[in-house]
Amino acid sequence: MSKHGAVEQQLSLYPPPEDFVRRAHVQGMNAYRELYARAEKQPEEFWGEVAERELFWFEKWRHVFEWDPPFAKWFTGGKINASYNCLDRHLATRRRNKIAIIWEGEPGDQRMISYFELHRLVCRFANVLKSRGWKTGDRAIIYMPMVPELAVAMLACARLGITHSVVFGGFSAEALKARVQDLEAGLVITADGGWRRGREIRLKATVDEALAECPTVRDVIVYRRTGGQVSMQEGRDFWWHELDEGASEVCPAVPLDAEHPLYVLYTSGTTGKPKGILHTTGGYLTQCAATMKWVFDLREEDTYWCTADIGWVTGHSYIVYGPLAAGATSVVYEGAPDFPQYDRFWRIVEKYGVSIFYTSPTAIRALLRQGDKWPEMHDLSTLRLLGSVGEPINPAAWEWYHRVIGKGRCPIVDTWWQTETGAIMISPMPGATPLKPGSASFPLPGVIADVVDMNGDPVGPDKEGFLVIKRPWPAMLRTIWRDPERYKSQYWNRVPGVYFTGDAARRDSNGYFTVLGRVDDVMNVSGHRLSTMEIESALVRHPSVAEAAVVGRPDEVTGQAVCAFITLKKGNWDHKKLSDELRQWVAHEIGAFARPAEIRFAEALPKTRSGKIMRRLLREIVTTRAVTGDVTTLEDMAVIGRLAEQRGEEE
Ligand code: WTA
């Protein structure tokens, strides 16, 4: 540690345990610094070596990197297949009969699937897709519960070069419809339903509702999970198990361009319309595989568990593509962390001997509140590394995670990244980095990050600014699906010449990054990204609502909670009844996870003289119940007083 930064010195740092360092892929800070310096000075050589070492290429690339700002291409001319790298490549090694996926359903059912077996399942299903006429360049929507067949569907698409878009099972029919339409998908892969807290989430019924207005969809393939009632539309809907019967287990992977679109994943932005983040193949897979070693320090004998849902980017990169490309044994769990009791996570850790555990701060905080007795009921001694992702982790939750779950033995990797970055960007390397609770610490090799002001000038130590990335990286998004202009303006024109993350951050005098949260109109609720505008647009579609303004309110468990300010159209409204109805409405328009926690009815919303809603003031009201900032542009001062006094209708 340097002699500078007295304030930071007072915060205790946790050096990596010696026995961890001895066996780690990257040992000690000097090793990290060397790697970092090498990647910074010779990025093409560096990434070329990583890509060659971690992956199998049918044909080698001509150029590691081509940059026509802000459009990047990686490994151009190279031929590769993600499904081949996750499966076939392992079959010629001793991983052939290694378990790829340990799956546990919420009701307690269990499957152990080896690489050999997973390969067979994927080949069979790819042949099903082929026999229905689907091919390279087509697009499929996948809307499934957390069953192994979700990964099978993704890998079968990847095998043939069908670009997939997984839609999180919590999204409503409206949200699903918007994604099918934007992607112009021809194929939907779904299931009858899935289990969540003992209840069946009926997915097929939602698909039916969504597809009423999706003329592009020709085929719907339905996996049977719950055995619940579904209606099948003749000529459009097919049972997975019927099509799969007698399908061949031989299906060669198609050699695809390194830049072939692997998937589109929709995420919330600052407007009402979700953005289709496009990821391609070679660069994406390179960085996913590399971070499995750098960040998770993955070894052959590890049992790795990422608790995310595959419907979010964390599940794409760190349940499916990263771990399988790296040949890991990975746990996949279908249901909720608190079902049937608060010890479900710890029970699973004990049962399968999980050694690497990766989860969200929201889950940690929710389980922490239930007390130490739940983890204490279980033997957690197999754990050697813990991870966190999705939102800032507050030091108190960090300490609990470290002490009660990791027994003080396990380093914690606080990993910062985004749907757009594709892979982890800022994170400790567990055998190298002294940990600072609440800080994601240092950028990984090849990631040039900085904290700057609006002009792009670095703000200096301990000052808050915008987190930016100054050089393209292999797993970066390539564009927004069918909207390159939005891609340019959202990410590359905000601060001149660099990638704008939308996050605020601070760097201390030792170089530790602390990510503070979003600076735009994106909220982070339980690690789910939600757009204030998207919820507002949903609310104003309701016949009673005149205007809506949505802000994030700090919440002890979920990080932020959705708080909606509403003005109503003329009429006699029962506020209590209406707030329940509006919550239901948002669940229907977007998904239950976007439901406002609090609704406040107001006579008017604070606006500027030009008519823009001043969300900043609303944020202050819900955070501090008072307004301290500049209100000189406010049109009607009295509005603020009335809003601040009011209490909302809470769920
Ligand atoms: C936030 C999830 C602080 C951040 C992989 C980012 C974090 C957004 C961290 C992306 C972290 C993610 N510390 N904040 N370790 N990780 N975030 O696209 O605001 O769902 O911009 O990707 O989550 O969310 P997304």
Side-chain angles (χ1 to χ4, degrees), residues 563-582:
C563 183
F565 289 83
I566 306 268
T567 62
L568 292 170
K569 290 185 184 154
K570 286 233 168 336
N572 253 340
W573 305 106
D574 173 347
H575 284 182
K576 178 90 191 73
K577 237 173 92 194
L578 189 57
S579 59
D580 291 343
E581 190 178 321
L582 289 174

Side-chain angles (χ1 to χ4, degrees), residues 125 129 138-159 162-171 175-176 179-180 183 185-191 203 207 211 217 219-223 240 262-266 309-312 316 320-321:
F125 192 61
L129 297 180
D138 291 336
R139 291 174 304 280
I141 290 276
I142 303 179
Y143 185 65
M144 291 182 79
M146 286 280 284
V147 290
E149 278 67 20
L150 168 48
V152 170
M154 292 163 79
L155 292 167
C157 286
R159 201 163 186 85
I162 298 167
T163 302
H164 64 68
S165 183
V166 180
V167 177
F168 170 56
F171 275 112
L176 179 61
R179 285 155 177 77
V180 175
L183 194 69
L187 167 67
V188 174
I189 306 169
T190 187
L203 298 172
V207 169
L211 293 194
V217 175
D219 269 7
V220 178
I221 302 181
V222 188
Y223 177 73
W240 178 310
L262 178 61
Y263 68 82
V264 173
L265 187 59
Y266 287 86
D309 193 289
I310 294 178
W312 306 107
H316 281 61
V320 180
Y321 291 111

Side-chain angles (χ1 to χ4, degrees), residues 458-489:
V459 293
D462 298 322
K463 296 253 166 32
E464 188 174 331
F466 302 118
L467 178 64
V468 297
I469 312 291
K470 294 186 148 169
R471 202 191 273 168
W473 61 99
M476 68 187 264
L477 79 164
R478 297 305 193 256
T479 187
I480 293 176
W481 182 253
R482 294 200 321 193
D483 202 348
E485 286 309 314
R486 191 172 176 197
Y487 165 72
K488 279 190 209 165
S489 65

